[in-house]
């Protein structure tokens, strides 16, 4: 198994209006993932049908596509199903209404190879509103490598799910997302992860 092998986990729920854009953003990666897992959260629209219509595109691109049919339990549960459905060492989260720039996974894989002790990778992102205006989100810009991650996270959640790539083994170790929480499941997961002293690296680029 590749030490830098990446599985993209994409939770989806009634995402037909924008799932094609998400499919395109994965297929346009300069350094594609080994596996893509769409974990459907009990959609009632034709989200799954659109994904299946694109299966040949993934086959031609040379990586595996898995589509999970789950009951409606929320995004945390959908992500958990996706994490359990792969054996690859790295999980790259991508929400069904988000997109990546073509160089995203290439830059992540370069970081994995350069810093083998890192357990989690974060990058900056752009928040694009319906009217086209853009707000830049420089996640972790004030992060200090010499201070515990957990203390810095306690003061401010500077992690964004679609901008995070994490070792799968660590997610399993802490029990993945807590589906009993009505909200803040991602923040809860980050706090539990980094309370154990794990290392994070920040890529200061909008990806």
């Amino acid at each position: 198994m590749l030490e830098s092998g990446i599985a993209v986990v994409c939770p989806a729920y009634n995402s037909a209006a924008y799932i094609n854009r998400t499919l395109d953003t994965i297929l346009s990666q300069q350094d594609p993932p080994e596996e893509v897992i769409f974990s459907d959260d009990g959609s009632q629209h034709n989200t799954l049908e659109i994904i299946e219509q694109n299966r040949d595109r993934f086959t031609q691109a040379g990586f595996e596509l898995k589509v999970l049919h789950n009951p409606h339990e929320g995004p945390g549960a959908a992500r958990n199903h996706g994490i359990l459905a792969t054996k690859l060492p790295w999980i790259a989260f991508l929400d069904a209404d988000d997109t990546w720039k073509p160089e995203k996974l290439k830059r992540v894989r370069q970081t994995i190879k350069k810093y083998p002790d890192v357990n989690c990778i974060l990058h900056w992102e752009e928040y694009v509103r319906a009217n086209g205006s853009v707000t830049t989100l420089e996640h972790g810009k004030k992060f200090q490598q010499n201070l515990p991650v957990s203390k810095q996270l306690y003061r401010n959640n500077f992690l964004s799910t679609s901008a995070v790539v994490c070792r799968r083994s660590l997610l399993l170790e802490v029990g993945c997302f807590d589906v009993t929480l009505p909200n803040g499941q991602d923040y809860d997961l980050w706090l539990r992860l980094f309370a154990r002293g794990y290392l994070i690296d920040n890529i200061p680029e909008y990806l």
Side-chain angles (χ1 to χ4, degrees):
M1 182 185 297
L2 290 173
E3 176 58 28
S4 60
I6 296 173
V8 177
V9 171
C10 182
Y13 177 67
N14 292 345
S15 307
Y18 36 79
I19 197 67
N20 273 311
R21 187 183 62 181
T22 309
L23 292 162
D24 289 343
T25 203
I26 299 171
L27 289 161
S28 67
Q29 290 299 300
Q30 295 172 356
D31 191 344
E34 282 71 25
E35 188 174 63
V36 178
I37 302 168
F38 281 94
S39 185
D40 185 72
D41 189 39
S43 291
Q44 299 173 345
H45 299 165
N46 61 330
T47 302
L48 290 172
E49 180 181 342
I50 295 172
I51 296 172
E52 289 294 350
Q53 289 170 352
N54 285 270
R55 181 174 288 277
D56 287 347
R57 297 176 65 197
F58 286 86
T59 301
Q60 292 168 8
F63 48 93
E64 185 176 358
L65 172 66
K66 292 181 179 178
V67 182
L68 308 181
H69 301 236
N70 307 306
H72 182 48
E73 301 173 297
R79 293 188 187 103
N80 287 349
H81 290 307
I83 294 166
L84 294 173
T86 185
K87 299 296 184 183
L88 289 170
W90 290 91
I91 302 293
F93 295 109
L94 176 62
D95 288 351
D97 58 348
D98 289 340
T99 63
W100 289 338
K101 294 189 176 180
E103 64 272 23
K104 148 81 178 227
L105 291 183
K106 179 180 179 180
R107 293 290 293 113
V108 167
R109 218 184 295 266
Q110 288 172 344
T111 301
I112 290 172
K113 293 177 180 178
K114 186 175 181 180
Y115 303 106
D117 292 335
V118 164
N119 300 297
C120 185
I121 298 164
L122 172 70
H123 60 74
W124 295 352
E125 62 184 349
E126 296 169 330
Y127 180 76
V128 184
R129 293 177 175 81
N131 64 7
S133 65
V134 178
T135 298
T136 55
L137 304 172
E138 297 180 340
H139 302 304
K141 187 175 183 179
K142 297 180 180 180
F143 172 69
Q144 299 179 55
Q145 291 283 358
N146 61 329
L147 295 177
V149 181
S150 57
K151 290 186 177 181
Q152 296 178 74
L153 266 177
Y154 183 77
R155 296 188 182 96
N156 175 41
N157 179 19
F158 55 83
L159 300 182
S160 176
T161 310
S162 290
V164 166
V165 180
C166 189
R167 288 188 186 272
R168 177 177 179 268
S169 59
L170 305 187
L171 297 170
L172 295 176
E173 189 175 308
V174 299
C176 299
F177 292 88
D178 184 348
V179 299
T180 67
L181 297 176
N183 52 53
Q185 294 175 353
D186 56 339
Y187 190 22
D188 167 75
L189 175 61
W190 312 142
L191 289 170
R192 285 186 284 117
L193 270 176
F194 294 103
R196 300 179 176 230
Y198 296 143
L199 302 177
I200 188 171
D201 189 76
N202 184 35
I203 302 175
E205 299 174 27
Y206 300 106
L207 299 175

